[in-house]
Amino acid sequence: MLLVGVGFTLITIQRADRRLQQNLACTDELKWCARAGIEIALAVMEQKPDWRATMVGDELFKDLPVGKGKVTVQVFDDPDGQSANNDADPLRIKVVASRDGAQSCLEARLRPRPHRALRYALFGTGVEPIEFRAQATVSGPVRAHGPILANAGNQVQDDASFETMTGYAIADPLAPKRFVDTAIPAPQPPMAFYQSMATVITGSSGSHCELKGFNLTPTSNPGGTPNPHGIYWLRAGGREVLIENLHLRGTLIISETGTNGVTFQKGLMVEPGPLSYPVLLVDCPWGTLRISPDSGMLETLITITPYVPGIGLLGVDMNEDGDKLDTIPSQVRGLVWSNAAHVVLEYQQWSFSGCLIGNRITVDHGVNVDNDLALLDTSCPGFVDSAMSVEQGSIREGRP
């Protein structure tokens, strides 16, 4: 009887150990299934641009067979609960893998990838040319979908490169050259989103919509209350827009120009605001956007138009350092988007650093254009790819 009892005990222990090993193997397998679920979700997001709109509630997919188990993936926008209202919002992904009553759950944080256009100093959206004239200098990569034109006076330096579709020419002395067979879809900014956050500003009355001597920042708006994010909206009322001596730290939206264009002249200092959103969003599809500033502006000589009661007629503290004695070099930094028929950078020696996205682009005179790698660390609505990437170190076990 003793030997029989010992035998039954050994058999029971062996069976329990076998079940334990099976449970451990199942748990380990489910963890790898959950990992695979994250990779599958990332592939879906990359290959299906409208994945946000087609989700059922928070579910990207449910009970997808993976190995011997099934995987369900949910995506959450924790700040506002709406994953489809802003493609630049970071998200949380939850993956639950299940098999035979056992489950394993992984969670991670996802961040949108910047649009591929933001890698370039200039990005041409259509088959119209990108052209360099006179003494224009190129210091960063350029991407076109049509010809890239140049003349002998152009300068190429730093990490400049030139890329377009096979079948189009890239003129000398531009080099290195690269020809590709796949187009990059142009980003489409959600204008209504940016307009909803903006403070409307009014240009002068008359046949032209003029804005002169304005310092627009999160702490300054000569025409009214400052916008805390530095986002302003100039509605042109169907008129041509003329802007001169402007300092912008934030975002300026220009729209309702009719068949007319937009011109920036004299002094110009444009830089990103606290949200790192685009600095210029210019909607003038039938006109020309001309950015034609002097090499700088002298604060003591600036006047404001339209007239703002309570502000002196002469002199503006553009850089908000407490005086009106500075000479500020003209420069544009950040992301510029326009659907204008033609975008022209010209006139004096000034610098553009960032990404200019437009249909037909001309760089003239002594203008220097360069890219800004900082744009690849920002998430601007409308300027991200549909794909997401896992934030490093964010994967952790969660509750099913």
Side-chain angles (χ1 to χ4, degrees), residues 124-164:
T125 59
V127 297
E128 294 291 332
I130 293 179
E131 182 176 3
F132 300 96
R133 298 176 180 170
Q135 304 300 313
T137 300
V138 191
S139 303
V142 174
R143 167 68 188 234
H145 289 84
I148 303 180
L149 310 178
N151 67 30
N154 299 148
Q155 302 294 318
V156 178
Q157 60 189 29
D158 294 341
D159 63 338
S161 63
F162 305 87
E163 180 180 291
T164 191

Side-chain angles (χ1 to χ4, degrees), residues 212-213 244-245 266 298-308 310-318 323-325:
K212 300 180 180 180
E244 65 179 46
N245 288 327
K266 296 193 176 180
L298 184 59
E299 288 182 330
T300 57
L301 301 180
I302 296 174
T303 58
I304 295 180
T305 301
Y307 172 70
V308 179
I311 296 181
L313 294 177
L314 192 63
V316 178
D317 183 10
M318 284 293 192
D323 63 54
K324 303 177 183 179
L325 305 174

Side-chain angles (χ1 to χ4, degrees), residues 334-367:
L335 174 57
V336 175
W337 174 90
S338 179
N339 60 359
H342 193 184
V343 180
V344 182
L345 312 182
E346 61 178 356
Y347 192 48
Q348 295 281 4
Q349 291 187 344
W350 60 277
S351 63
F352 170 80
S353 176
C355 177
L356 168 60
I357 300 172
N359 182 28
R360 179 184 177 187
I361 301 172
T362 298
V363 183
D364 204 352
H365 298 96
V367 179

Side-chain angles (χ1 to χ4, degrees), residues 66-125:
V66 176
K68 297 180 181 180
K70 293 183 178 181
V71 170
T72 295
V73 172
Q74 294 176 291
V75 180
F76 304 95
D77 187 337
D78 291 327
D80 62 15
Q82 301 181 56
S83 57
N85 68 337
N86 185 347
D87 59 1
D89 278 348
L91 302 173
R92 175 171 58 91
I93 186 172
K94 180 178 180 179
V95 182
V96 178
S98 58
R99 174 192 169 191
D100 299 331
Q103 290 184 322
S104 179
C105 177
L106 290 179
E107 294 187 359
R109 292 191 299 273
L110 303 182
R111 293 196 175 276
R113 297 180 187 175
H115 194 281
R116 286 173 287 173
L118 272 57
R119 304 172 187 173
Y120 302 95
L122 304 177
F123 182 86
T125 59

Side-chain angles (χ1 to χ4, degrees), residues 22-91:
Q22 289 174 344
N23 289 338
L24 290 174
C26 180
T27 301
D28 190 54
E29 181 180 340
L30 287 178
K31 287 182 179 180
W32 285 108
C33 286
R35 285 269 185 172
I38 293 177
E39 298 299 325
I40 294 170
L42 294 177
V44 169
M45 293 171 180
E46 185 165 6
Q47 298 173 14
K48 190 177 180 182
D50 63 342
W51 63 268
R52 292 173 184 263
T54 58
M55 285 200 307
V56 179
D58 294 318
E59 286 183 351
L60 184 63
F61 53 79
K62 183 178 181 180
D63 292 338
L64 179 72
V66 176
K68 297 180 181 180
K70 293 183 178 181
V71 170
T72 295
V73 172
Q74 294 176 291
V75 180
F76 304 95
D77 187 337
D78 291 327
D80 62 15
Q82 301 181 56
S83 57
N85 68 337
N86 185 347
D87 59 1
D89 278 348
L91 302 173

